[in-house]
Amino acid sequence: QLQLVESGGGLVQPGGSLRLSCAASGFTLDYYAIGWFRQAPGKDLEGVLCISSTGGPTNYADSVKGRFTISRDNAKNTVYLQMNSLKPEDTAVYYCRLAFGSSCKSSFASWGQGTQVTVSS
């Protein structure tokens, strides 16, 4: 069964950090770009960061520059989103999505249940 599963969300105080994981099973991520997206209550889906198959990052959201980084470990078939200096406005459900190609310019498949991130004191 092909799966892409997000994990690592939770409740964190402003200024805190979380690392989200996007783990694939049933197929290899090696040849695909992976994007992280988020959707806050009442808002549209927003692209956050993407990583190409060769590890090159693309930032979609100015609001996370300098705070969020994306990485991949092909040996673990997993992509990570490291989120530092979290703000209440980062509260959202975070989704990882598989690109239809190796580049972050590719379109993305809708997949996974997402993981909730709540930033609150």
Side-chain angles (χ1 to χ4, degrees), residues 12-65:
V12 63
Q13 292 186 341
S17 297
L18 283 174
R19 187 177 78 160
L20 306 184
S21 298
C22 172
S25 60
F27 69 103
T28 179
L29 289 177
D30 291 16
Y31 307 111
Y32 299 97
I34 298 291
W36 279 100
F37 297 77
R38 65 185 181 184
Q39 189 165 26
K43 294 190 176 181
D44 292 335
L45 190 69
E46 175 189 31
V48 179
L49 279 163
C50 173
I51 188 165
S52 71
S53 63
T54 55
T58 298
N59 194 315
Y60 294 136
D62 288 342
S63 61
V64 307
K65 282 183 179 178

Side-chain angles (χ1 to χ4, degrees), residues 7-119:
S7 64
L11 174 64
V12 63
Q13 292 186 341
S17 297
L18 283 174
R19 187 177 78 160
L20 306 184
S21 298
C22 172
S25 60
F27 69 103
T28 179
L29 289 177
D30 291 16
Y31 307 111
Y32 299 97
I34 298 291
W36 279 100
F37 297 77
R38 65 185 181 184
Q39 189 165 26
K43 294 190 176 181
D44 292 335
L45 190 69
E46 175 189 31
V48 179
L49 279 163
C50 173
I51 188 165
S52 71
S53 63
T54 55
T58 298
N59 194 315
Y60 294 136
D62 288 342
S63 61
V64 307
K65 282 183 179 178
R67 300 187 299 122
F68 291 12
T69 57
I70 191 169
S71 62
R72 64 192 300 153
D73 185 338
N74 287 346
K76 294 183 178 180
N77 220 20
T78 301
V79 171
Y80 302 99
L81 182 67
Q82 178 67 44
M83 305 186 296
N84 300 325
S85 303
L86 281 159
K87 303 176 180 180
E89 50 265 42
D90 295 318
T91 295
V93 179
Y94 284 71
Y95 302 91
C96 66
R97 291 192 167 180
L98 182 72
F100 289 114
S102 60
S103 165
C104 290
K105 296 180 181 179
S106 307
S107 55
F108 292 87
S110 296
W111 207 334
Q113 300 299 311
T115 185
Q116 175 71 48
V117 172
T118 303
V119 185

